[in-house]
Amino acid sequence: MATKTWKIEKDLCRCCHAEGTFDNLAEPRTFLEKEEVYSDMLRECLDLDIPPVPGELCAITYSICNACITRLRDACNFKKQVQDCEQRFMTLYYKNAIQGLNTETVVKEELEVSIDDNHSDDDIETIVLKKEEDDDDDSFMDRDDDDDDMSEDFAITKKPTTSMKTRSKPKAKPKAPPVKKEKPQPQPKKKAEPKPVKEKKDDVNEEYALTVEADGTQTFTCRVCDKSFNQRKYVHQHHRQVHLKLRPKLRGCHLCDVKVPTHQRTYHMEEVHGLPAPSCGACGKRFAFPWLVLRHQKFHHMGESKYRCEPCNLTFIGRSKYMHHQTKHADVKAFKCAICDKEFKWRSGLKTHMLIHNNIRRHVCKICQDAFVQQSSLKYHVLKKHPEMV
């Protein structure tokens, strides 16, 4: 079966595969005095992430046509409209500011009947029977000729004092007050049964042995092959890849038989086969993945960042660097000296402080041979005792 070849002559819309002269998905555009980045709009509104491809196809295939821009803009506006309306509705609902319109019940007026004392009991029965017959008529309140049907000898008049009443009509029910949402009262917590404590394996101690020198230097020695490292992450990586055989997965090259790690594939394609790695068009810096190029451009060239420190107004490209910076503003000192209980924010500060307890003076004055623990102490000594050397 012959494979089909897709030849692209102009820009390609990644949303509908139309060809023409279109806008780049990552470049900001202005519409009605508002800045739009179409890749961000696709991600925020439709949860779609369209990555650019490396190489010569990157520029011509990372674009969007005007028709898709219009539909995307309508989708974003509709999503914002629904969110705003729902937020306003729920705000009014919880404030009991929404009331339903109940249809009013029409109540017929009670007719008061007074009878003269001169009439006999038979006449009174006649009037009562006549009144009951009128009540059976549904349009009793709408009739104008009720008095004409009665005998002229008996007159029905309305007086403020009631001597006899007809049967009462149902009264309108008062409107029910708005129901307030009552918060469920917290139920008393049941005493949780103690769970059996699981024994935790000390994986770190199984991998390496820690040795702390007198000057505070730490050495991590592999327990299997006695190889030493100066950082914990290196001995952990060594143990996983060498002894546990958990090496990183290799990705095969489709142009040759070489297999390389995923993060080195783009550099292999550039050095061996001449295919350029994803790079920044502004400064030429190369990256392993296209998404790193976009992050680099947004932070370094466009000034965009999600992580900004309010006290000092510094921006950071990632969350890890931002959280590390926040330690400077925090009052928490996590590193404590076991001898004098002095606390430090940074591990390096505790390491330098331990040199004082161990009386390790590594910084020696070249003139008078006086030794000091810290480099700053040596500089101060030279400035005061040997100002001619400054």
Side-chain angles (χ1 to χ4, degrees):
M1 180 178 179
T3 58
K4 295 183 180 179
T5 303
W6 191 1
K7 295 182 179 180
I8 301 175
E9 298 179 358
K10 298 181 180 181
D11 295 341
L12 176 69
C13 176
R14 290 289 289 273
C15 299
C16 67
H17 287 181
E19 294 186 29
T21 304
F22 304 139
D23 295 332
N24 191 282
L25 281 166
E27 293 180 0
R29 302 287 179 179
T30 304
F31 178 76
L32 297 179
E33 299 181 355
K34 291 184 179 180
E35 190 177 82
E36 297 178 337
V37 180
Y38 303 122
S39 59
D40 295 344
M41 294 169 64
L42 286 168
R43 190 179 301 107
E44 294 172 2
C45 180
L46 304 177
D47 197 18
L48 296 175
D49 191 7
I50 300 181
V53 296
E56 59 182 2
L57 294 176
C58 179
I60 63 175
T61 61
Y62 201 62
S63 56
I64 183 172
C65 65
N66 294 330
C68 292
I69 290 175
T70 303
R71 299 179 66 183
L72 175 61
R73 191 178 292 130
D74 292 342
C76 293
N77 292 336
F78 179 70
K79 179 179 179 181
K80 187 176 184 303
Q81 171 191 322
V82 174
Q83 290 174 340
D84 293 344
C85 291
E86 182 64 13
Q87 182 180 4
R88 182 171 180 271
F89 173 80
M90 297 307 297
T91 302
L92 295 176
Y93 174 75
Y94 286 118
K95 289 182 178 180
N96 291 327
I98 303 178
Q99 296 181 358
L101 181 61
N102 297 330
T103 55
E104 295 182 358
T105 305
V106 179
V107 182
K108 295 183 178 180
E109 182 183 359
E110 295 182 0
L111 187 62
E112 299 177 357
V113 181
S114 62
I115 304 175
D116 296 338
D117 296 337
N118 299 327
H119 299 306
S120 63
D121 294 338
D122 296 336
D123 297 335
I124 294 175
E125 290 178 1
T126 306
I127 295 175
V128 173
L129 291 175
K130 183 62 179 178
K131 186 66 185 66
E132 291 178 354
E133 291 175 1
D134 292 340
D135 288 342
D136 294 336
D137 190 1
D138 293 336
S139 60
F140 171 75
M141 297 299 294
D142 298 332
R143 292 177 56 183
D144 297 332
D145 54 349
D146 294 336
D147 295 337
D148 296 338
D149 296 335
M150 295 183 181
S151 175
E152 295 179 357
D153 297 335
F154 307 104
I156 300 176
T157 58
K158 294 182 182 180
K159 294 183 180 180
T161 57
T162 305
S163 59
M164 180 181 293
K165 294 186 178 180
T166 61
R167 61 181 179 181
S168 59
K169 300 299 185 293
K171 296 183 179 180
K173 296 182 180 179
K175 293 183 180 179
V179 180
K180 293 185 178 180
K181 234 179 182 180
E182 295 182 357
K183 295 183 180 180
Q185 297 180 355
Q187 298 179 355
K189 295 183 179 179
K190 297 181 179 179
K191 292 184 178 180
E193 298 180 357
K195 296 182 179 179
V197 180
K198 296 181 180 179
E199 296 183 358
K200 295 183 179 179
K201 293 184 178 180
D202 196 354
D203 299 334
V204 177
N205 293 336
E206 292 179 0
E207 294 178 4
Y208 63 85
L210 175 62
T211 305
V212 182
E213 304 293 339
D215 59 350
T217 305
Q218 295 180 344
T219 304
F220 303 90
T221 306
C222 178
R223 292 185 181 275
V224 181
C225 61
D226 294 334
K227 193 172 182 179
S228 300
F229 302 88
N230 59 353
Q231 293 187 26
R232 184 187 287 106
K233 62 180 180 180
Y234 293 145
V235 68
H236 181 65
Q237 179 182 353
H238 161 80
H239 187 268
R240 285 177 56 84
Q241 296 185 6
V242 176
H243 302 298
L244 300 181
K245 306 298 182 183
L246 298 176
R247 299 183 181 274
K249 293 183 180 180
L250 301 179
R251 186 174 180 182
C253 176
H254 65 281
L255 298 178
C256 63
D257 297 334
V258 176
K259 292 185 177 181
V260 294
T262 304
H263 66 279
Q264 296 181 359
R265 183 176 181 275
T266 53
Y267 300 115
H268 165 78
M269 300 297 292
E270 183 178 37
E271 294 175 0
V272 179
H273 304 291
L275 297 177
S279 59
C280 176
C283 61
K285 190 175 182 179
R286 299 180 304 160
F287 298 89
F289 302 101
W291 66 269
L292 292 174
V293 181
L294 296 178
R295 189 180 72 163
H296 162 80
Q297 291 176 343
K298 288 182 178 181
F299 181 75
H300 292 283
H301 301 297
M302 300 180 186
E304 299 180 11
S305 177
K306 297 180 183 178
Y307 308 100
R308 179 181 298 275
C309 179
E310 295 182 359
C312 55
N313 201 28
L314 291 177
T315 56
F316 300 89
I317 193 170
R319 184 177 182 274
S320 59
K321 293 185 178 180
Y322 169 74
M323 297 303 295
H324 180 74
H325 169 78
Q326 289 299 314
T327 311
K328 295 181 179 180
H329 303 292
D331 296 332
V332 179
K333 296 180 179 180
F335 304 97
K336 186 177 182 180
C337 177
I339 300 175
C340 62
D341 293 338
K342 192 174 182 179
E343 297 178 345
F344 301 88
K345 286 186 177 181
W346 310 102
R347 187 188 299 274
S348 59
L350 176 60
K351 184 178 178 180
T352 305
H353 171 76
M354 293 303 297
L355 299 176
I356 299 175
H357 291 296
N358 297 324
N359 197 23
I360 298 175
R361 302 173 181 271
R362 298 178 296 179
H363 305 283
V364 182
C365 178
K366 297 180 180 179
I367 301 172
C368 62
Q369 303 303 317
D370 285 348
F372 302 92
V373 176
Q374 301 183 27
Q375 178 71 22
S376 59
S377 301
L378 175 60
K379 289 183 179 180
Y380 181 79
H381 165 78
V382 174
L383 182 63
K384 290 298 181 180
K385 299 296 182 180
H386 314 290
E388 68 277 1
M389 301 302 296
V390 179

